[in-house]
């Protein structure tokens, strides 16, 4: 038994440092030594809000190596590199029994960090124990950095699958943070037509250009660029990836009559919309949250094939003791970072 460090949210802008002694994993569970944990916008919200999320969701984008395997676990071994994910549809919950396996309650709970046998912290830690359902092997062709970015890639892979846009659809991606840039790449792979990416940060606009996107604009120029591209018709499809509540109605107004608004950004406040506008223009609105097991499989294959560049998004790696400062910087809106990883072994105690 060994003592492992972790950081968890204890209140608004307050982190609690702790140690936990992890025993050998129980039946059906594995112990994973964390290599990297990505910082998600959800983590920033959870830190600033203090009570928005279950503790286990704080630090959910992780990769590591299995160090111990519990009784009855099959297909996994010590030393194997894995990422945290969700298992296949369980086949037993009410959704599955009713024939809605894509909305499996067990998978949804896993995606939201619910694990009755897990400690009350996520993977901003040196080691975690989870159900073996929730670990997915990583191909040797993926680097550790690429593995650490599988989870956000999967979020966007899931959203693009849900939208199932027509080939060649004129597309807008609002926001060029990690979710926006990954959405844009997955949409391109799925056959998107002309695409405009809107982003206020010069550094992120430049990164979008390096990823091969030709139409990258400041938000103030988006309407003009879209009108020029579509002769004033509007987008067939808009992916809203910022989660800014005030942008919801303006985003809808960029979509043509009969088009689709896809929601990926997660707002913390209510938004004001024109119900009549959405109805009269017959908009299709698709919400997307989390993912399915098969989305992880598809996202990993896309990264391994070089069709999704995730390494380009990685801008910095910090130790666990820097987590509070990094969260504050990302919340400030002034950070030029795209994707930050935490290496829990990099430094001493936080």
């Amino acid at each position: 038994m060994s003592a492992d460090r972790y950081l968890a949210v204890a209140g608004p802008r307050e982190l609690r440092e702790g140690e936990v002694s992890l025993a050998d994993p129980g039946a059906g569970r594995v112990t994973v030594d964390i290599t990297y944990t990505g910082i998600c916008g959800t983590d920033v919200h959870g830190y600033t809000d203090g009570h928005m999320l279950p503790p286990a969701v704080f630090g959910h984008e992780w990769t590591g190596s299995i160090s111990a395997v519990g009784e009855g676990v099959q297909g996994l071994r010590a030393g194997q590199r894995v990422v945290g994910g969700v298992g296949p549809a369980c086949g037993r919950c009410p959704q599955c029994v009713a024939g809605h396996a894509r909305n499996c309650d067990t998978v949804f709970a896993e995606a939201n960090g619910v694990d009755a046998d897990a400690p009350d912290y996520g993977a901003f830690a040196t080691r975690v124990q989870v159900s073996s359902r929730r670990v997915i092997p990583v191909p040797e062709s993926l680097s550790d950095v690429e593995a650490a970015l599988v989870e956000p890639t999967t979020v966007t892979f899931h959203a693009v699958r849900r939208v199932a846009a027509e080939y060649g659809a004129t597309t807008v991606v609002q926001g060029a943070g990690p979710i926006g840039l990954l959405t844009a790449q997955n949409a391109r792979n799925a056959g998107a037509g002309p695409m405009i990416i809107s982003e206020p940060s010069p550094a992120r606009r430049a990164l979008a250009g390096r990823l091969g996107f030709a139409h990258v604009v400041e938000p103030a120029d988006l309407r003009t660029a879209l009108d020029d591209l579509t002769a004033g018709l509007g987008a067939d499809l808009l992916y809203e990836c910022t989660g800014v509540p005030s942008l919801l109605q303006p985003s809808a107004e960029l979509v043509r009559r009969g088009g689709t608004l896809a929601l990926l950004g997660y707002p913390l406040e209510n938004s004001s919309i024109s119900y009549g506008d959405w109805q009269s223009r017959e908009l299709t609105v698709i919400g997307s949250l989390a993912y399915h097991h098969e989305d992880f499989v598809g996202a990993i294959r896309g990264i391994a094939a070089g069709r999704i560049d995730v390494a380009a998004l990685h801008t910095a790696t910090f130790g666990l003791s820097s987590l509070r400062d990094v969260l504050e910087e990302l919340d400030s809106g002034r950070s030029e970072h795209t994707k930050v990883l935490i290496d829990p072994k990099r430094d001493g105690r936080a």
Side-chain angles (χ1 to χ4, degrees):
M1 206 179 282
S2 60
D4 291 285
R5 301 169 52 222
Y6 69 88
L7 289 175
V9 175
R13 301 186 184 275
E14 181 182 352
L15 295 181
R16 180 183 75 251
E17 177 188 0
E19 290 188 352
V20 62
S21 295
L22 296 178
D24 292 337
R29 300 180 69 78
V30 296
T31 302
V32 179
D33 294 347
I34 297 299
T35 303
Y36 293 124
T37 302
I39 298 180
C40 173
T42 306
D43 296 316
V44 178
H45 294 332
Y47 166 72
T48 57
D49 183 81
H51 63 272
M52 183 185 116
L53 302 169
V57 174
F58 189 63
H60 57 277
E61 299 180 3
W62 53 265
T63 186
S65 297
I66 295 176
S67 56
V69 175
E71 182 181 354
V73 173
Q74 298 181 349
L76 299 171
R77 55 176 172 75
Q80 193 170 19
R81 291 193 308 147
V82 294
V83 296
V86 296
C90 70
R92 300 182 303 274
C93 70
Q95 290 273 23
C96 284
V97 171
H100 309 305
R102 283 207 167 184
N103 299 108
C104 172
D105 290 327
T106 301
V107 171
F108 188 71
E110 290 172 341
N112 285 280
V114 177
D115 187 339
D117 298 320
D120 62 347
Y121 61 89
F124 289 124
T126 54
R127 185 177 298 175
V128 296
Q129 275 187 5
V130 295
S131 167
S132 61
R133 282 178 46 88
R134 293 195 53 225
V135 297
I136 300 172
V138 175
E140 287 303 314
S141 60
L142 264 63
S143 69
D144 286 337
V145 167
E146 289 174 321
L149 290 168
V150 164
E151 196 273 354
T153 306
T154 303
V155 169
T156 60
F157 186 95
H158 175 79
V160 171
R161 284 184 71 207
R162 275 185 54 74
V163 169
E166 292 185 4
Y167 189 86
T170 300
T171 303
V172 170
V173 175
Q174 194 154 255
I179 294 300
L181 292 173
L182 291 169
T183 297
Q185 292 185 75
N186 277 305
R188 180 169 59 188
N189 289 341
M195 184 184 300
I196 300 175
I197 297 177
S198 171
E199 168 59 44
S201 164
R204 290 181 172 183
R205 289 200 303 272
L207 176 54
R210 292 195 296 274
L211 289 170
F213 296 101
H215 301 291
V216 185
V217 301
E218 297 185 43
D221 298 329
L222 175 55
R223 169 65 77 174
T224 299
L226 182 60
D227 285 346
D228 289 345
L229 181 65
T230 66
L233 182 64
D236 295 321
L237 165 63
L238 185 145
Y239 290 100
E240 206 305 293
C241 300
T242 71
V244 177
S246 61
L247 290 180
L248 186 55
Q249 180 60 32
S251 298
E253 292 170 3
L254 294 170
V255 178
R256 67 167 175 82
R257 181 168 58 84
T260 299
L261 174 64
L263 306 176
L264 282 84
Y266 199 89
L268 293 182
E269 301 171 1
N270 291 334
S271 301
S272 296
I273 66 166
S274 173
Y275 189 116
D277 170 61
W278 292 25
Q279 183 174 6
S280 63
R281 292 195 297 121
E282 295 190 331
L283 297 187
T284 296
V285 181
I286 298 178
S288 184
L289 179 70
Y291 30 61
H292 304 138
H293 181 79
E294 56 267 35
D295 297 319
F296 273 90
V297 175
I300 288 173
R301 288 174 178 169
I303 296 170
R307 293 178 60 81
I308 307 171
D309 185 349
V310 297
L313 277 60
H314 175 228
T315 49
T317 301
F318 295 97
L320 200 58
S321 63
S322 300
L323 179 58
R324 185 193 311 275
D325 291 341
V326 176
L327 290 168
E328 288 286 351
E329 179 184 343
L330 293 173
D331 180 59
S332 72
R334 297 186 297 273
S335 175
E336 291 299 316
H337 286 300
T338 301
K339 195 65 184 181
V340 176
L341 301 179
I342 295 295
D343 176 356
K345 299 179 293 297
R346 172 168 285 202
D347 54 12
R349 296 178 61 85

